[in-house]
Amino acid sequence: MSDISTVQRPMGPAPQMPKPKADAARTAQEFEAVFIGQMTKMMMEMVETGDEFSGGAGEEMFRGILAEQMGNEMAKRGGIGLAPAVLEQILKMQGGSANGQ
């Protein structure tokens, strides 16, 4: 058995912290879209639907998709301000800053 101190390491540059990914802003926006979509879905479930104007089983089936798409569109148009805070945390975790340094 070899001693740990005899293990040789390959010569070369030391590993560095990963640079912030270029798509971090997109990831933050997608997170906000999912969050808004889930909130919208929960709000839509609280609304009572009557028999006369109800979409029936079709409405129930596609209500989740509608909420998801509403979340996507709301996030694209500025959202609720969650994406900038999420982006800041992503960049902090990657060892960068908000300006990419």
Side-chain angles (χ1 to χ4, degrees):
M1 218 172 250
S2 68
D3 187 5
I4 263 190
S5 61
T6 62
V7 175
Q8 294 190 6
R9 295 183 198 150
M11 297 303 287
Q16 296 181 359
M17 290 292 290
K19 294 181 181 177
K21 294 182 180 179
D23 59 354
R26 183 174 52 93
T27 302
Q29 183 180 9
E30 288 173 359
F31 178 84
E32 183 174 27
V34 170
F35 180 80
I36 294 172
Q38 290 296 318
M39 285 182 48
T40 305
K41 182 179 176 187
M42 288 190 303
M43 288 190 300
M44 292 173 86
E45 289 172 355
M46 297 297 219
V47 175
E48 294 181 23
T49 56
D51 291 335
E52 296 173 15
F53 295 105
S54 173
E59 180 183 349
E60 289 178 26
M61 197 164 85
F62 290 106
R63 190 178 290 173
I65 295 170
L66 175 62
E68 178 183 334
Q69 292 303 313
M70 287 175 69
N72 289 338
E73 287 302 314
M74 285 183 203
K76 283 181 191 174
R77 297 171 191 258
I80 57 175
L82 184 61
V86 171
L87 177 60
E88 183 179 336
Q89 292 302 312
I90 289 172
L91 294 175
K92 277 184 184 178
M93 289 174 52
Q94 292 178 341
S97 64
N99 60 12
Q101 296 181 9

XYZ file of all heavy atoms in Angstrom:
741
model
N 0.821 -1.164 0.000
C 0.000 0.000 0.000
C 0.875 1.240 0.000
O 1.877 1.288 0.682
C -0.870 -0.026 1.239
C -2.178 0.500 0.872
S -3.585 0.522 1.812
C -4.529 -0.647 0.934
N 0.501 2.235 -0.740
C 1.329 3.436 -0.809
C 0.876 4.459 0.223
O -0.286 4.513 0.592
C 1.269 4.036 -2.209
O -0.011 4.536 -2.446
N 1.817 5.219 0.653
C 1.554 6.289 1.615
C 0.912 7.460 0.875
O 1.224 7.731 -0.280
C 2.874 6.705 2.265
C 2.669 7.685 3.402
O 1.505 7.966 3.740
O 3.681 8.163 3.941
N 0.022 8.147 1.541
C -0.663 9.281 0.911
C 0.330 10.347 0.479
O 0.135 11.003 -0.521
C -1.719 9.854 1.873
C -3.047 9.273 1.533
C -1.777 11.343 1.839
C -4.209 9.891 2.223
N 1.393 10.527 1.221
C 2.356 11.574 0.889
C 3.119 11.265 -0.397
O 3.715 12.152 -0.982
C 3.336 11.790 2.044
O 4.054 10.593 2.279
N 3.102 10.026 -0.864
C 3.824 9.679 -2.080
C 2.980 9.836 -3.336
O 3.485 9.675 -4.434
C 4.326 8.227 -2.010
O 3.210 7.358 -1.905
C 5.276 8.033 -0.855
N 1.697 10.167 -3.185
C 0.841 10.347 -4.350
C 1.283 11.608 -5.081
O 1.394 12.676 -4.495
C -0.643 10.459 -3.942
C -1.505 10.772 -5.135
C -1.090 9.199 -3.260
N 1.560 11.486 -6.355
C 2.023 12.632 -7.123
C 0.848 13.294 -7.821
O -0.031 12.629 -8.352
C 3.060 12.182 -8.140
C 4.319 11.688 -7.476
C 5.416 11.474 -8.497
O 5.266 11.800 -9.659
N 6.516 10.913 -8.043
N 0.893 14.577 -7.800
C -0.156 15.356 -8.460
C 0.330 15.767 -9.843
O 1.510 16.061 -10.026
C -0.472 16.604 -7.647
C -1.054 16.291 -6.317
C -1.406 17.560 -5.602
N -1.555 17.237 -4.194
C -1.308 18.056 -3.219
N -0.900 19.267 -3.455
N -1.477 17.678 -1.979
N -0.566 15.838 -10.801
C -0.156 16.296 -12.119
C 0.236 17.777 -12.060
O -0.388 18.562 -11.352
C -1.386 16.089 -12.996
C -2.523 15.942 -12.062
C -1.962 15.469 -10.755
N 1.282 18.116 -12.771
C 1.730 19.510 -12.817
C 0.812 20.289 -13.740
O 0.337 19.793 -14.735
C 3.175 19.585 -13.335
C 4.165 18.873 -12.420
S 4.161 19.486 -10.734
C 4.968 21.042 -10.966
N 0.582 21.517 -13.409
C -0.270 22.366 -14.225
C -0.899 23.434 -13.354
O -0.657 23.501 -12.154
N -1.708 24.251 -13.949
C -2.329 25.333 -13.178
C -3.316 24.779 -12.153
O -3.948 23.747 -12.369
C -3.038 26.180 -14.230
C -3.234 25.263 -15.394
C -2.100 24.274 -15.338
N -3.407 25.483 -11.047
C -4.338 25.079 -9.995
C -5.765 25.348 -10.451
O -6.023 26.281 -11.215
C -4.044 25.869 -8.725
N -6.708 24.522 -10.032
C -8.097 24.776 -10.413
C -8.573 26.105 -9.841
O -8.206 26.483 -8.739
C -8.870 23.615 -9.804
C -7.952 22.943 -8.859
C -6.570 23.353 -9.187
N -9.363 26.807 -10.612
C -9.866 28.111 -10.201
C -11.372 28.042 -10.003
O -12.028 27.123 -10.480
C -9.528 29.162 -11.252
C -8.036 29.362 -11.408
C -7.728 30.425 -12.427
O -8.623 31.000 -13.034
N -6.457 30.703 -12.638
N -11.881 29.030 -9.307
C -13.320 29.126 -9.104
C -13.996 29.286 -10.455
O -13.456 29.961 -11.342
C -13.667 30.345 -8.231
C -13.237 30.195 -6.788
S -14.168 28.940 -5.923
C -15.749 29.728 -5.802
N -15.155 28.681 -10.648
C -15.842 28.841 -11.925
C -16.283 30.287 -12.125
O -16.648 30.979 -11.185
C -17.048 27.913 -11.800
C -17.232 27.713 -10.350
C -15.888 27.853 -9.706
N -16.200 30.731 -13.359
C -16.650 32.084 -13.690
C -18.174 32.089 -13.740
O -18.789 31.074 -14.058
C -16.082 32.510 -15.040
C -14.580 32.663 -15.010
C -14.062 33.104 -16.353
C -12.553 33.225 -16.293
N -11.983 33.585 -17.566
N -18.775 33.230 -13.430
C -20.241 33.287 -13.506
C -20.712 32.912 -14.912
O -20.159 33.361 -15.898
C -20.565 34.743 -13.178
C -19.386 35.237 -12.427
C -18.198 34.477 -12.958
N -21.708 32.083 -14.970
C -22.232 31.653 -16.256
C -22.962 32.805 -16.922
O -23.593 33.632 -16.270
C -23.182 30.474 -16.074
C -22.490 29.232 -15.582
C -23.456 28.093 -15.464
C -22.742 26.853 -14.967
N -23.635 25.732 -14.812
N -22.875 32.830 -18.238
C -23.517 33.900 -18.991
C -25.034 33.817 -18.893
O -25.728 34.824 -19.033
C -23.091 33.833 -20.451
N -25.557 32.636 -18.625
C -27.014 32.470 -18.594
C -27.585 32.556 -17.174
O -28.698 32.094 -16.940
C -27.407 31.159 -19.259
C -26.774 29.946 -18.604
O -25.939 30.082 -17.709
O -27.151 28.838 -19.009
N -26.840 33.140 -16.232
C -27.342 33.257 -14.861
C -28.589 34.129 -14.810
O -29.529 33.845 -14.057
C -26.257 33.809 -13.939
N -28.626 35.181 -15.616
C -29.801 36.062 -15.640
C -31.022 35.309 -16.168
O -32.130 35.467 -15.649
C -29.527 37.293 -16.489
N -30.807 34.477 -17.170
C -31.918 33.684 -17.720
C -32.427 32.691 -16.681
O -33.628 32.486 -16.527
C -31.469 32.959 -18.989
C -32.582 32.172 -19.661
C -32.124 31.582 -20.985
N -30.892 30.819 -20.868
C -30.852 29.512 -20.659
N -31.956 28.820 -20.545
N -29.686 28.885 -20.567
N -31.513 32.082 -15.948
C -31.892 31.137 -14.899
C -32.708 31.831 -13.819
O -33.712 31.295 -13.346
C -30.640 30.491 -14.285
O -29.913 29.837 -15.331
C -30.997 29.501 -13.203
N -32.287 33.038 -13.435
C -33.019 33.799 -12.425
C -34.426 34.149 -12.919
O -35.397 34.056 -12.164
C -32.255 35.067 -12.056
N -34.527 34.519 -14.196
C -35.836 34.843 -14.755
C -36.726 33.604 -14.821
O -37.926 33.675 -14.538
C -35.693 35.456 -16.147
C -37.024 35.889 -16.739
C -36.877 36.502 -18.110
O -35.810 36.478 -18.715
N -37.953 37.052 -18.617
N -36.153 32.464 -15.170
C -36.926 31.220 -15.219
C -37.415 30.835 -13.824
O -38.540 30.357 -13.667
C -36.096 30.092 -15.816
C -35.862 30.234 -17.302
C -34.903 29.206 -17.852
O -34.386 28.361 -17.079
O -34.658 29.235 -19.072
N -36.572 31.044 -12.819
C -36.983 30.767 -11.442
C -38.169 31.641 -11.064
O -39.147 31.171 -10.486
C -35.816 31.005 -10.478
C -36.189 30.778 -9.038
C -36.168 29.498 -8.510
C -36.568 31.829 -8.227
C -36.523 29.272 -7.182
C -36.923 31.622 -6.903
C -36.902 30.339 -6.379
N -38.084 32.929 -11.404
C -39.186 33.836 -11.102
C -40.455 33.410 -11.845
O -41.551 33.459 -11.285
C -38.825 35.274 -11.469
C -39.916 36.264 -11.112
C -39.511 37.702 -11.342
O -38.658 37.979 -12.199
O -40.085 38.563 -10.655
N -40.317 32.977 -13.091
C -41.473 32.538 -13.873
C -42.155 31.342 -13.218
O -43.384 31.285 -13.126
C -41.048 32.191 -15.297
N -41.358 30.383 -12.744
C -41.931 29.210 -12.076
C -42.627 29.628 -10.783
O -43.734 29.168 -10.478
C -40.841 28.148 -11.800
C -41.360 27.043 -10.892
C -40.341 27.565 -13.110
N -41.990 30.509 -10.036
C -42.576 30.993 -8.780
C -43.915 31.688 -9.035
O -44.916 31.386 -8.372
C -41.597 31.940 -8.080
C -42.107 32.482 -6.781
C -42.050 31.716 -5.632
C -42.654 33.756 -6.705
C -42.522 32.210 -4.423
C -43.129 34.258 -5.504
C -43.061 33.478 -4.362
N -43.943 32.589 -10.002
C -45.185 33.299 -10.320
C -46.237 32.320 -10.831
O -47.416 32.425 -10.491
C -44.933 34.415 -11.357
C -44.051 35.507 -10.743
C -46.247 35.015 -11.836
C -43.583 36.547 -11.740
N -45.828 31.362 -11.654
C -46.756 30.356 -12.163
C -47.390 29.553 -11.040
O -48.603 29.279 -11.058
N -46.592 29.162 -10.049
C -47.128 28.395 -8.918
C -48.099 29.244 -8.098
O -49.139 28.752 -7.650
C -45.995 27.876 -8.040
C -45.171 26.793 -8.685
C -45.997 25.545 -8.955
O -46.794 25.113 -8.134
N -45.816 24.969 -10.128
N -47.742 30.508 -7.889
C -48.653 31.393 -7.146
C -49.964 31.582 -7.905
O -51.042 31.550 -7.315
C -47.992 32.752 -6.903
C -46.934 32.708 -5.824
S -46.191 34.306 -5.475
C -47.583 35.374 -5.311
N -49.853 31.762 -9.217
C -51.043 31.942 -10.049
C -51.913 30.691 -10.008
O -53.142 30.775 -9.910
C -50.639 32.269 -11.493
O -49.785 33.406 -11.494
C -51.849 32.537 -12.356
N -51.286 29.535 -10.064
C -52.025 28.271 -10.021
C -52.801 28.147 -8.708
O -53.980 27.767 -8.700
C -51.071 27.095 -10.181
C -51.754 25.751 -10.194
C -50.739 24.639 -10.373
C -51.424 23.288 -10.273
N -50.471 22.186 -10.271
N -52.141 28.487 -7.597
C -52.825 28.415 -6.303
C -53.984 29.405 -6.232
O -55.045 29.091 -5.691
C -51.834 28.674 -5.165
C -50.874 27.518 -4.965
S -49.845 27.586 -3.478
C -49.007 29.116 -3.644
N -53.803 30.601 -6.797
C -54.890 31.584 -6.795
C -56.058 31.101 -7.651
O -57.218 31.272 -7.277
C -54.392 32.940 -7.295
C -53.492 33.633 -6.307
S -53.111 35.346 -6.714
C -52.325 35.205 -8.294
N -55.754 30.488 -8.786
C -56.814 30.008 -9.668
C -57.598 28.860 -9.025
O -58.786 28.700 -9.296
C -56.234 29.575 -11.014
C -55.684 30.731 -11.826
S -54.831 30.176 -13.301
C -56.204 30.051 -14.431
N -56.921 28.059 -8.192
C -57.614 26.961 -7.520
C -58.594 27.474 -6.476
O -59.548 26.766 -6.126
C -56.596 26.022 -6.874
C -55.818 25.205 -7.879
C -54.670 24.424 -7.261
O -54.410 24.580 -6.043
O -54.025 23.652 -8.000
N -58.379 28.683 -5.984
C -59.255 29.258 -4.961
C -60.548 29.832 -5.548
O -61.507 30.036 -4.827
C -58.529 30.363 -4.196
C -57.333 29.853 -3.449
S -57.834 28.676 -2.221
C -56.763 29.082 -0.902
N -60.549 30.091 -6.846
C -61.712 30.698 -7.488
C -62.792 29.647 -7.682
O -62.534 28.570 -8.224
C -61.323 31.319 -8.852
C -62.544 31.843 -9.582
C -60.298 32.405 -8.657
N -63.971 29.965 -7.227
C -65.095 29.043 -7.426
C -65.628 29.216 -8.835
O -65.811 30.320 -9.322
C -66.198 29.348 -6.411
C -65.785 29.067 -4.982
C -66.900 29.346 -3.997
O -68.080 29.335 -4.408
O -66.582 29.598 -2.837
N -65.861 28.102 -9.516
C -66.403 28.149 -10.867
C -67.836 27.673 -10.830
O -68.165 26.667 -10.193
C -65.583 27.268 -11.827
O -65.545 25.945 -11.310
C -64.173 27.792 -11.988
N -68.685 28.406 -11.532
C -70.091 28.034 -11.606
C -70.322 27.068 -12.752
O -69.461 26.847 -13.604
N -71.503 26.472 -12.779
C -71.818 25.505 -13.830
C -72.044 26.174 -15.182
O -71.716 25.611 -16.215
C -73.057 24.694 -13.443
C -72.774 23.758 -12.276
O -71.605 23.397 -12.096
O -73.731 23.412 -11.552
N -72.602 27.378 -15.174
C -72.965 28.017 -16.438
C -71.749 28.459 -17.253
O -71.733 28.337 -18.469
C -73.862 29.227 -16.160
C -75.185 28.836 -15.533
C -75.991 30.050 -15.121
O -75.666 31.158 -15.554
O -76.950 29.873 -14.366
N -70.769 28.995 -16.605
C -69.616 29.524 -17.330
C -68.351 28.714 -17.093
O -67.263 29.147 -17.397
C -69.375 30.989 -16.939
C -70.496 31.885 -17.346
C -71.388 32.358 -16.410
C -70.669 32.236 -18.667
C -72.429 33.174 -16.777
C -71.706 33.059 -19.055
C -72.597 33.535 -18.106
N -68.495 27.555 -16.577
C -67.350 26.702 -16.306
C -66.898 26.008 -17.573
O -67.702 25.664 -18.433
C -67.725 25.652 -15.253
O -66.678 24.734 -15.095
N -65.600 25.783 -17.669
C -65.057 25.068 -18.815
C -65.078 23.570 -18.608
O -64.619 22.813 -19.458
N -65.578 23.148 -17.455
C -65.676 21.721 -17.169
C -64.337 21.058 -16.988
O -63.382 21.637 -16.485
N -64.245 19.816 -17.430
C -63.031 19.023 -17.251
C -61.869 19.594 -18.053
O -60.716 19.539 -17.617
C -63.292 17.580 -17.664
N -62.165 20.166 -19.210
C -61.113 20.760 -20.039
C -60.446 21.924 -19.344
O -59.223 22.072 -19.387
N -61.247 22.749 -18.697
C -60.682 23.880 -17.965
C -59.801 23.399 -16.819
O -58.696 23.905 -16.623
C -61.791 24.764 -17.413
C -61.266 25.953 -16.633
C -62.364 26.785 -16.014
O -63.552 26.595 -16.342
O -62.024 27.633 -15.175
N -60.280 22.417 -16.085
C -59.500 21.880 -14.977
C -58.184 21.289 -15.469
O -57.145 21.436 -14.833
C -60.301 20.818 -14.236
C -61.457 21.374 -13.431
C -62.264 20.284 -12.745
O -61.686 19.209 -12.475
O -63.450 20.513 -12.489
N -58.245 20.625 -16.619
C -57.073 19.954 -17.148
C -55.994 20.952 -17.584
O -54.805 20.704 -17.377
C -57.491 19.089 -18.343
C -56.495 18.046 -18.727
S -57.246 16.810 -19.787
C -57.105 17.565 -21.370
N -56.394 22.064 -18.171
C -55.432 23.018 -18.721
C -55.179 24.222 -17.826
O -54.416 25.114 -18.191
C -55.891 23.480 -20.106
C -55.795 22.394 -21.131
C -56.933 21.764 -21.594
C -54.562 21.985 -21.616
C -56.842 20.750 -22.532
C -54.461 20.976 -22.549
C -55.606 20.349 -23.014
N -55.780 24.260 -16.660
C -55.594 25.391 -15.753
C -54.126 25.520 -15.334
O -53.592 26.623 -15.262
C -56.478 25.232 -14.524
C -56.509 26.476 -13.670
C -57.423 26.311 -12.502
N -58.804 26.290 -12.978
C -59.852 26.032 -12.211
N -59.671 25.750 -10.940
N -61.064 26.027 -12.701
N -53.457 24.417 -15.084
C -52.043 24.443 -14.712
C -51.164 25.003 -15.818
O -50.219 25.755 -15.557
N -51.462 24.635 -17.060
C -50.693 25.131 -18.205
C -50.912 26.634 -18.363
O -49.970 27.388 -18.634
C -51.077 24.375 -19.488
C -50.684 22.914 -19.347
C -50.422 24.998 -20.716
C -51.208 22.011 -20.440
N -52.149 27.079 -18.178
C -52.446 28.505 -18.249
C -51.670 29.266 -17.182
O -51.059 30.305 -17.464
C -53.947 28.754 -18.082
C -54.375 30.223 -18.016
C -54.031 30.954 -19.309
C -55.861 30.322 -17.720
N -51.651 28.756 -15.968
C -50.921 29.412 -14.880
C -49.425 29.469 -15.189
O -48.766 30.491 -14.950
C -51.165 28.678 -13.567
N -48.885 28.392 -15.747
C -47.461 28.359 -16.098
C -47.138 29.406 -17.155
O -46.150 30.139 -17.046
C -47.114 26.967 -16.613
C -45.676 26.814 -17.046
C -45.405 25.433 -17.626
O -46.108 24.472 -17.282
O -44.471 25.332 -18.445
N -47.971 29.492 -18.189
C -47.734 30.464 -19.251
C -47.907 31.897 -18.754
O -47.185 32.800 -19.178
C -48.657 30.185 -20.442
C -48.331 28.908 -21.163
C -46.900 28.877 -21.656
O -46.399 29.827 -22.245
N -46.219 27.768 -21.396
N -48.848 32.106 -17.850
C -49.010 33.439 -17.264
C -47.757 33.816 -16.471
O -47.300 34.961 -16.535
C -50.251 33.481 -16.375
C -51.542 33.466 -17.159
S -53.012 33.370 -16.125
C -53.007 34.970 -15.346
N -47.200 32.866 -15.740
C -45.966 33.116 -15.009
C -44.814 33.455 -15.932
O -44.038 34.382 -15.659
N -44.704 32.738 -17.051
C -43.646 33.022 -18.028
C -43.775 34.430 -18.592
O -42.790 35.166 -18.683
C -43.682 32.007 -19.176
C -43.224 30.638 -18.758
O -42.520 30.475 -17.772
N -43.641 29.630 -19.506
N -44.976 34.805 -18.978
C -45.188 36.130 -19.562
C -44.967 37.242 -18.536
O -44.395 38.275 -18.856
C -46.590 36.237 -20.173
C -46.752 35.463 -21.451
C -45.761 35.902 -22.531
O -45.580 37.132 -22.742
O -45.166 35.015 -23.160
N -45.422 37.031 -17.309
C -45.214 38.048 -16.273
C -43.724 38.245 -16.005
O -43.256 39.372 -15.852
C -45.929 37.652 -14.987
C -47.414 37.824 -15.033
S -48.091 37.387 -13.416
C -49.746 36.974 -13.851
N -42.969 37.155 -15.954
C -41.528 37.248 -15.707
C -40.818 37.944 -16.860
O -39.896 38.729 -16.638
C -40.948 35.861 -15.471
N -41.235 37.673 -18.098
C -40.630 38.328 -19.263
C -40.841 39.836 -19.230
O -40.014 40.595 -19.709
C -41.227 37.782 -20.564
C -40.706 36.437 -20.968
C -41.353 36.015 -22.273
C -41.070 34.573 -22.601
N -41.810 34.136 -23.794
N -41.963 40.263 -18.678
C -42.310 41.684 -18.667
C -41.894 42.402 -17.392
O -42.402 43.463 -17.085
C -43.803 41.838 -18.904
C -44.225 41.314 -20.261
C -45.724 41.280 -20.397
N -46.116 40.550 -21.564
C -46.511 41.123 -22.700
N -46.549 42.420 -22.783
N -46.864 40.383 -23.718
N -40.979 41.810 -16.638
C -40.470 42.479 -15.451
C -40.788 41.765 -14.157
O -40.128 41.982 -13.150
N -41.786 40.932 -14.164
C -42.112 40.121 -12.997
C -42.448 40.916 -11.752
O -42.977 42.024 -11.826
N -42.100 40.343 -10.619
C -42.417 40.958 -9.334
C -41.159 41.401 -8.599
O -41.187 41.713 -7.419
C -43.231 39.990 -8.453
C -42.474 38.679 -8.247
C -44.613 39.749 -9.055
C -43.154 37.713 -7.292
N -40.023 41.409 -9.305
C -38.772 41.843 -8.704
C -37.984 40.745 -8.026
O -37.033 41.023 -7.304
N -38.342 39.518 -8.259
C -37.649 38.392 -7.635
C -36.374 38.022 -8.385
O -35.371 37.658 -7.771
C -38.591 37.192 -7.560
C -38.094 35.950 -6.849
C -37.786 36.269 -5.395
C -39.135 34.854 -6.933
N -36.379 38.136 -9.699
C -35.236 37.714 -10.514
C -33.937 38.441 -10.153
O -32.890 37.792 -10.058
C -35.551 37.868 -11.999
N -33.933 39.767 -9.945
C -32.666 40.420 -9.571
C -32.083 39.897 -8.255
O -30.861 39.725 -8.139
C -33.040 41.896 -9.450
C -34.239 42.060 -10.313
C -34.983 40.757 -10.197
N -32.932 39.619 -7.287
C -32.446 39.084 -6.006
C -31.887 37.679 -6.185
O -30.850 37.332 -5.607
C -33.574 39.079 -4.980
N -32.549 36.861 -7.006
C -32.067 35.504 -7.272
C -30.747 35.563 -8.044
O -29.809 34.823 -7.734
C -33.125 34.686 -8.049
C -32.560 33.366 -8.529
C -34.350 34.459 -7.186
N -30.651 36.460 -9.027
C -29.421 36.619 -9.794
C -28.261 37.002 -8.885
O -27.153 36.469 -9.004
C -29.601 37.661 -10.891
C -28.363 37.977 -11.729
C -27.852 36.738 -12.436
C -28.671 39.083 -12.711
N -28.494 37.904 -7.970
C -27.453 38.319 -7.029
C -26.950 37.132 -6.208
O -25.744 36.953 -6.012
C -27.995 39.400 -6.106
C -26.976 39.948 -5.133
C -27.550 41.041 -4.258
O -28.533 41.688 -4.647
O -27.009 41.235 -3.155
N -27.868 36.289 -5.755
C -27.473 35.118 -4.971
C -26.725 34.094 -5.825
O -25.780 33.463 -5.354
C -28.699 34.476 -4.311
C -29.321 35.332 -3.238
C -28.334 35.674 -2.140
O -27.625 34.820 -1.623
N -28.283 36.950 -1.787
N -27.141 33.917 -7.074
C -26.440 32.992 -7.976
C -25.004 33.452 -8.156
O -24.063 32.656 -8.077
C -27.161 32.893 -9.343
C -28.483 32.146 -9.207
C -26.270 32.210 -10.382
C -29.335 32.174 -10.460
N -24.830 34.742 -8.407
C -23.487 35.270 -8.621
C -22.637 35.185 -7.359
O -21.440 34.906 -7.426
C -23.562 36.707 -9.130
C -24.170 36.861 -10.520
C -24.316 38.321 -10.885
C -23.366 36.106 -11.564
N -23.246 35.396 -6.192
C -22.503 35.253 -4.941
C -22.032 33.810 -4.767
O -20.910 33.566 -4.335
C -23.372 35.646 -3.749
C -23.429 37.118 -3.487
C -24.237 37.395 -2.237
C -24.400 38.868 -1.997
N -25.225 39.134 -0.799
N -22.900 32.858 -5.087
C -22.544 31.443 -4.954
C -21.434 31.060 -5.931
O -20.660 30.154 -5.652
C -23.781 30.560 -5.166
C -24.759 30.647 -4.032
S -26.310 29.763 -4.332
C -25.780 28.163 -4.807
N -21.365 31.735 -7.069
C -20.341 31.441 -8.056
C -19.052 32.211 -7.774
O -18.081 32.056 -8.501
C -20.841 31.775 -9.467
C -21.936 30.861 -9.928
C -22.442 31.248 -11.298
O -22.240 32.365 -11.767
N -23.135 30.322 -11.946
N -19.072 33.053 -6.770
C -17.868 33.800 -6.416
C -17.688 35.069 -7.206
O -16.628 35.660 -7.201
N -18.701 35.528 -7.899
C -18.612 36.744 -8.678
C -19.399 37.857 -8.036
O -19.768 37.805 -6.868
N -19.632 38.887 -8.806
C -20.454 39.990 -8.333
C -21.470 40.320 -9.411
O -21.438 39.778 -10.497
C -19.596 41.211 -8.017
O -18.982 41.685 -9.201
N -22.348 41.244 -9.108
C -23.432 41.572 -10.025
C -22.914 42.116 -11.357
O -23.566 41.999 -12.367
C -24.385 42.581 -9.385
N -21.721 42.718 -11.370
C -21.205 43.241 -12.631
C -20.319 42.225 -13.365
O -19.645 42.564 -14.310
C -20.455 44.556 -12.411
C -19.273 44.407 -11.482
O -18.876 43.290 -11.161
N -18.731 45.520 -11.031
N -20.285 40.981 -12.897
C -19.591 39.906 -13.590
C -18.116 39.761 -13.240
O -17.387 39.075 -13.922
N -17.659 40.425 -12.185
C -16.247 40.328 -11.813
C -16.065 39.486 -10.583
O -16.844 39.362 -9.756
C -15.675 41.706 -11.583
C -15.687 42.522 -12.866
C -15.093 43.912 -12.635
O -14.535 44.199 -11.599
N -15.251 44.758 -13.617
